[in-house]
Amino acid sequence: MMGLMQQQPLLISRLIDFAARFHGDTEIVSRRVEGDRHRTTWAQVQRRSMRLARGLDAWGLQRGDRVGTLAWNGYRHLELYYGVSGSGRVLHTVNPRLHSDQIAWIINHAGDKALAFDMTFAPIIRSIAASCPQVAHWVALCDEGALPADLVQAVPGLLSYEAWLDGQGDAAYAWPILDENEASSLCYTSGTTGNPKGVLYSHRSTLLHAAAGALPDVMCLAAADSVLPVVPMFHVNAWGSPYAAAMVGCKLVMPGPALDGASLFELMDDEGVTLSAGVPTVWLGLLASMREHGRRPSALQRVLIGGSAAPPAMIEAFQKDFDVEVRHAWGMTELSPLGTSAAFKFKHAQMDAAQRLQVQTAQGRALFGVDLRVVDARGAELPWDGRSVGELEVRGPWVLSDYYESGLPNPLHDGWFPTGDVVSIDADGYMRIVDRSKDVIKSGGEWISSIDIENVAMAHPAVAMAACVAVPHPKWDERPLLVVVRKPGAEVQARELLAFYEGKVAKWWIPDDVMFVESIPLGATGKILKTRLREQLLGPAAG
Ligand code: AMP
């Protein structure tokens, strides 16, 4: 017998309609490329995303056509999120931190028909426009008067976003009723090996993921929150926060290009930010700024840390020094991206501080909707004993079923997606990452976790950033080398740092040497780029 409930497809347009109807005057604050702070509301975002949809109709763009963006977190990007997907086109967010050849490759592979970009990225557009012949419409996210003449010359037909929207009028727009399984957005993996691969999200996967991400054990989002996603809207949809924010109707604060600690502190403090989300490297800057002020931003309650392992010293600094709760989460582009979160269970309330920190340093347990398993090299499932280590595989309604036109064999293994992460899962279901399979150090037939080695170094007061890579060794195959950036003005030598490991890890895990450097290369998503670091230290073949 079938249920007797209404059938309504889960569509991205419903999110913006809901936010505009029930939270219409709630603010969206953006720090703009122009340098000022801009204020709008959910109702205005809906109105302008409808104008945008009308503009796409006028261009003759079809359902499923891709519209690319090269943009920071800001209200115009948010309008593109809703106007493009809401009207049945596919929003293709491109990561501007990639090399311009790779950006052109991605735009061409996706077959983008239109591309909207922040003025910061005008030099990229100038260099790639001629090599992206299928892009028929180029839109600069600025006022008409801000279009530089030389750019207009270099990019034929270039429009200003504001002039284009102004031309669309304000008549009501009826969002199309789509199949909820239609594609809504496209994001390419960072492509550290080979060409990037496209992950094509659907309306349904996006809404289910947003609902799960808003839950108390993940972002714990409510209408009373003010949320600042530091994680960029050009990388896995800012972890779904622009959708989850509309779903709960909270205030959204967008940092634009100003991601340094001082700028983030100021914006959070002024705008009553309660929750923020980002990769560990951005928190180093914010923590330094908090120490300088001797306080946290006035309303900040919690931060979501993911994308790379959150070092225990960072979790402690937030919680002990500033009373800001840390939520450590794991995910990947192929998972929309949220998969696990290290929130406590009821029984953990009895534990002492050290044991609770231990729970939080794990990557966490599955969100409802995502299933996890660990398999050995033959694909056999391993027990959840917290010790057996193998590759993590996942499945669920917001996990990819195949890459977008990759020409590669389907990546699934018995319906599960192999993540490439080497992990254990404990009896409570908490997953802990040992390493990426390509970063783990294989010493004498045993594995050393580069993450564990880095976490110890990060706890040393003189260390600003640490990365551990494998170097070839005649006897042990590989041995760990620690690469360190010292804090400004701090003094520490290799011998002292290596002594710091004693009693904290097994003796044979202690790195063979420490190399002090000025900076460690970061990839396009703010994570340490181990491939580049290995190349720099050991030559091109080592990448
Ligand atoms: P991306 O698809 O670029 O977001 O990268 C996904 C990868 O980032 C995962 O497969 C992990 O290797 C890594 N990652 C994400 N979150 C965490 C975390 N909390 N701890 C350790 N590694 C993480």
Side-chain angles (χ1 to χ4, degrees):
M1 183 162 61
M2 303 301 285
L4 287 172
M5 305 310 282
Q6 298 182 5
Q7 277 289 340
Q8 282 202 357
L10 300 173
L11 299 178
I12 285 172
S13 54
R14 303 234 191 255
L15 290 175
I16 190 64
D17 284 353
F18 169 82
R21 189 165 166 80
F22 294 98
H23 304 277
D25 65 350
T26 299
E27 278 189 311
I28 317 293
V29 180
S30 311
R31 189 171 253 149
R32 302 203 298 178
V33 170
E34 290 90 328
D36 60 350
R37 208 179 289 179
H38 174 276
R39 313 186 89 82
T40 182
T41 61
W42 281 115
Q44 287 291 332
V45 169
Q46 182 205 39
R47 200 166 67 89
R48 283 168 51 98
S49 59
M50 285 180 165
R51 281 191 190 175
L52 193 155
R54 213 173 295 114
L56 301 177
D57 290 355
W59 284 343
L61 258 61
Q62 303 297 306
R63 289 249 289 255
D65 277 350
R66 272 78 62 209
V67 175
T69 61
L70 268 172
W72 300 108
N73 293 7
Y75 67 104
R76 290 172 176 142
H77 207 176
L78 191 66
E79 292 159 3
L80 283 151
Y81 262 54
Y82 285 105
V84 171
S85 304
S87 66
R89 284 86 185 195
V90 177
L91 178 86
H92 172 209
T93 51
V94 185
N95 187 335
R97 295 196 183 121
L98 295 171
H99 188 273
S100 59
D101 290 348
Q102 223 170 13
I103 291 177
W105 185 92
I106 289 174
I107 290 172
N108 287 329
H109 186 267
D112 293 342
K113 294 263 174 67
L115 199 121
F117 61 92
D118 267 333
M119 287 308 285
T120 320
F121 308 120
I124 301 177
I125 299 299
R126 216 176 263 126
S127 76
I128 64 166
S131 42
C132 301
Q134 86 291 357
V135 177
H137 308 278
W138 299 90
V139 182
L141 296 170
C142 64
D143 291 324
E144 177 114 61
L147 279 183
D150 64 325
L151 188 64
V152 176
Q153 244 180 5
V155 186
L158 178 67
L159 293 170
S160 111
Y161 180 76
E162 294 301 334
W164 177 56
L165 281 200
D166 282 349
Q168 307 308 324
D170 254 338
Y173 185 86
W175 300 114
I177 306 298
L178 311 166
D179 180 327
E180 65 182 18
N181 292 302
E182 280 182 50
S184 59
S185 66
L186 176 63
C187 181
Y188 281 71
T189 59
S190 325
T192 42
T193 52
N195 278 326
K197 297 190 281 287
V199 182
L200 191 59
Y201 310 108
S202 68
H203 287 260
R204 175 184 157 81
S205 71
T206 302
L207 264 75
L208 293 175
H209 174 264
L215 283 172
D217 275 355
V218 194
M219 288 194 261
C220 190
L221 271 192
D225 276 310
S226 168
V227 177
L228 189 153
V230 186
V231 51
M233 290 168 77
F234 57 70
H235 182 61
V236 234
N237 304 324
W239 299 350
S241 54
Y243 304 116
M247 189 173 268
V248 303
C250 65
K251 175 174 173 179
L252 203 47
V253 182
M254 311 284 223
L259 303 178
D260 60 287
S263 303
L264 289 175
F265 187 103
E266 183 194 60
L267 193 60
M268 288 178 180
D269 208 33
D270 291 352
E271 301 298 341
V273 167
T274 52
L275 166 72
S276 189
V279 296
T281 42
V282 307
W283 301 128
L284 294 174
L286 182 71
L287 279 169
S289 196
M290 282 158 65
R291 287 192 183 106
E292 216 169 276
H293 284 87
R295 65 179 178 92
R296 62 177 186 194
S298 53
L300 188 64
Q301 292 168 12
R302 48 195 193 288
V303 290
L304 190 70
I305 308 183
S308 306
M314 179 177 283
I315 300 178
E316 275 201 296
F318 270 115
Q319 297 187 156
K320 267 191 23 206
D321 302 349
F322 297 103
D323 199 22
V324 173
E325 187 191 340
V326 167
R327 216 23 88 66
H328 186 199
W330 167 89
M332 59 197 307
T333 309
E334 289 86 341
L335 262 91
S336 305
L338 296 168
T340 66
S341 148
F344 293 113
K345 292 185 175 181
F346 183 75
K347 64 182 177 184
H348 294 135
Q350 318 301 327
M351 290 180 161
D352 63 27
Q355 288 170 316
R356 282 167 66 84
L357 181 63
Q358 184 66 10
V359 173
Q360 289 187 292
T361 56
Q363 276 65 24
R365 55 193 162 72
L367 276 54
F368 169 76
V370 173
D371 198 5
L372 312 175
R373 70 176 187 183
V374 198
V375 297
D376 67 14
R378 290 169 296 115
E381 197 169 346
L382 293 170
W384 290 15
D385 56 11
R387 288 192 313 275
S388 304
V389 168
E391 184 173 3
L392 176 69
E393 296 192 336
V394 294
R395 64 179 179 189
W398 58 84
V399 178
L400 99 170
S401 61
D402 204 350
Y403 290 105
Y404 172 67
E405 296 190 356
S406 69
L408 299 167
N410 184 285
L412 300 196
H413 167 222
D414 290 342
W416 293 75
F417 173 69
T419 62
D421 283 327
V422 177
V423 310
S424 64
I425 301 182
D426 69 18
D428 289 328
Y430 286 76
M431 180 270 288
R432 189 174 288 276
I433 295 195
V434 173
D435 233 322
R436 287 294 292 167
S437 51
K438 55 188 187 304
D439 294 336
V440 77
I441 295 144
K442 297 165 195 97
S443 178
E446 300 283 347
W447 287 357
I448 300 174
S449 159
S450 67
I451 294 179
D452 285 0
I453 301 296
E454 288 156 10
N455 282 346
V456 173
M458 290 297 288
H460 192 283
V463 173
M465 201 183 278
C468 178
V469 293
V471 289
H473 189 279
K475 180 168 176 196
W476 304 112
D477 287 340
E478 291 180 353
R479 289 293 301 155
L481 168 70
L482 182 66
V483 184
V484 163
V485 179
R486 293 188 189 97
K487 282 192 183 147
E491 271 305 319
V492 64
Q493 301 305 325
R495 194 199 297 214
E496 181 193 335
L497 205 49
L498 294 178
F500 188 63
Y501 278 85
E502 274 161 32
K504 298 191 176 79
V505 296
K507 256 202 155 43
W508 61 276
W509 278 40
I510 298 177
D512 282 5
D513 203 357
V514 184
M515 187 179 264
F516 293 96
V517 294
E518 290 298 312
S519 67
I520 288 176
L522 297 181
T525 54
K527 304 183 195 189
I528 291 174
L529 203 55
K530 295 252 174 112
T531 43
R532 176 89 48 82
L533 187 62
R534 281 192 290 259
E535 272 171 26
Q536 283 174 1
L537 300 173
L538 309 164

